[in-house]
Amino acid sequence: MSDDALFEFLCRMGDNTLVLGHRVSEWCGHAPVLEEDIALANTALDLIGQTQMWLGLAGEIEGKGRSADDLAMRRDVWDFRNILLVEQPNGDFGQTMMRQFLFDLWHLEMLKALSGSSHDRVAAIAAKSVKEVQYHVERSGDTVIGLGDGTSESHRRMQAALDLLWPYVGEMFVPDHIDAQMSEAGIAPDPGELRATYDARLAEVMTEATLTIPDSGFAHKGGKSGMRHSEHLGHMLTQMQWLQRAYPDATW
Amino acid sequence: MKPSVAEIWTWLDEVPDPEIPVISVVDLGIVRHVAWDGDTLEVAVTPTYSGCPATRIISLDIETALHDRGIGDVHIETRISPPWTTDWLSEKGRAKLMDYGIAPPRAAGGPECCPRCKSTNVTRISQFGSTPCKAQWRCADCLEPFDYFKCI
Ligand SMILES: [Zn+2]
């Protein structure tokens, strides 16, 4: 296993939490009710905190003196390694919560597996994060059920959100040469191994939510490899990174 | 002469948590280790939640308190493993939380009773609250909303 591969893997973990954390923070002050606004802000905060740990370690492994902030704020689209799902726009509240649940369910299983990583630092970050993510998945799952099995309007919107986001689920489980090196070294699981647990839990929640999982295995790919991000990421980065782009090296 | 580690723990027990000032950083269970390494005092602090914005303030408050007691050479290490758990809250801290109006954490996943009227007829409003470590609950008897310190 090379340090380059480990750096890539850590960027994938950190970019997922960074991009989703930023997306969720876009709701701050706009959520439908105060409690949801607070819950979304707290979720975003957890994800940004986890980003600091993942990208902080990535910078150390890379050994070029880049900090978590440098990696977050001074890279452009093609260097980001997050999956396509997390960069998709918020849409309405239901779509945001569907995206959150589809990610949280994967995130929880991934972090559980990483808690037993052969790499001590990776295991420590995962063990810290998994406690927070248990709360995220509990809440996003409850919300998907509440809205899916809610009014005809909320049901319609949740089914539309699931249909829209479903093609982005597959990317989480498709292994590549980085994943192969990680699993060979015992650092991370083969992502394909997480699918059975994910599908079982997903089916339970969607049944309770009276929602239908689309009958299609098609998966958009290219986020975690960095080959083909959707157009949305670039737009998001212009917002997230504008200060460092306009005033490089600015500090508080 | 260097103060003893036991004495330093009592000083740290006077440093309030910046967000819930009725309890100390020691009550909260985030000070994990205090030891002398030569003339340097080593202090290990663990964050409650990974994104908790108070973490940096807490380290600064600890450093300031120790400087005020005449310890000039303090090294504060942030330690994430093993991860913080609400099991590390002190008994004294739990009682103070209740008096302050925040229901202390319980393994059962919810508050034992309303901190105001002690009714056990309570319902959850949201898993999340005003800080990462709290959830929002409501008492069905006195009708007051209250904070519950989440169990993690
Ligand atoms: Zn009451």
Side-chain angles (χ1 to χ4, degrees), chain B residues 2-148:
Chain B
K2 283 190 300 200
S4 72
V5 166
E7 190 171 21
I8 292 166
W9 275 101
T10 66
W11 295 344
L12 292 175
D13 199 21
E14 290 166 12
V15 178
D17 173 74
E19 279 173 348
I20 312 171
V22 289
I23 59 170
S24 77
V25 293
V26 173
D27 285 329
L28 195 55
I30 59 173
V31 181
R32 302 312 304 158
H33 178 75
V34 179
W36 285 105
D37 178 15
D39 288 329
T40 303
L41 186 70
E42 301 280 352
V43 181
V45 177
T46 195
T48 50
Y49 283 75
S50 50
C52 184
T55 307
R56 241 178 271 179
I57 306 296
I58 288 169
S59 293
L60 193 66
D61 287 350
I62 288 175
E63 206 171 351
T64 307
L66 293 171
H67 284 175
D68 289 349
R69 293 283 187 168
I71 304 176
D73 196 357
V74 178
H75 176 246
I76 296 181
E77 175 209 349
T78 304
R79 188 184 284 183
I80 63 163
S81 181
W84 179 75
T85 157
T86 38
D87 295 348
W88 293 344
L89 270 173
S90 70
E91 281 306 317
K92 168 167 73 78
R94 296 173 63 89
K96 282 184 180 168
L97 280 177
M98 194 66 159
D99 284 347
Y100 190 61
I102 301 173
R106 278 201 323 154
E112 189 182 357
C113 64
C114 164
R116 228 176 103 85
C117 74
K118 311 296 181 236
S119 162
T120 54
N121 190 8
V122 292
T123 53
R124 191 178 73 189
I125 301 172
S126 172
Q127 283 102 324
F128 292 89
S130 55
T131 63
C133 57
K134 286 177 282 179
Q136 297 175 74
W137 283 66
R138 179 169 35 218
C139 175
D141 282 328
C142 75
L143 304 179
E144 288 290 334
F146 63 90
D147 278 330
Y148 165 63

Side-chain angles (χ1 to χ4, degrees), chain A residues 195-233:
Chain A
R195 182 101 210 206
T197 315
Y198 183 94
D199 282 347
R201 182 69 190 126
L202 184 74
E204 278 173 28
V205 169
M206 292 307 160
T207 302
E208 211 179 325
T210 69
L211 297 172
T212 310
I213 299 170
D215 185 21
S216 162
F218 174 73
H220 290 293
K221 290 187 284 289
K224 77 175 192 178
S225 67
M227 296 293 283
R228 267 190 312 277
H229 279 288
S230 59
E231 83 240 43
H232 307 297
L233 181 62

Side-chain angles (χ1 to χ4, degrees), chain A residues 22 41 68 88 106-107 119 125 167 174 211 225 227 251:
Chain A
H22 186 81
Q88 299 310 303
W106 170 84
H107 200 199
H119 194 290
I125 295 171
V174 181
L211 297 172
S225 67
M227 296 293 283
T251 55

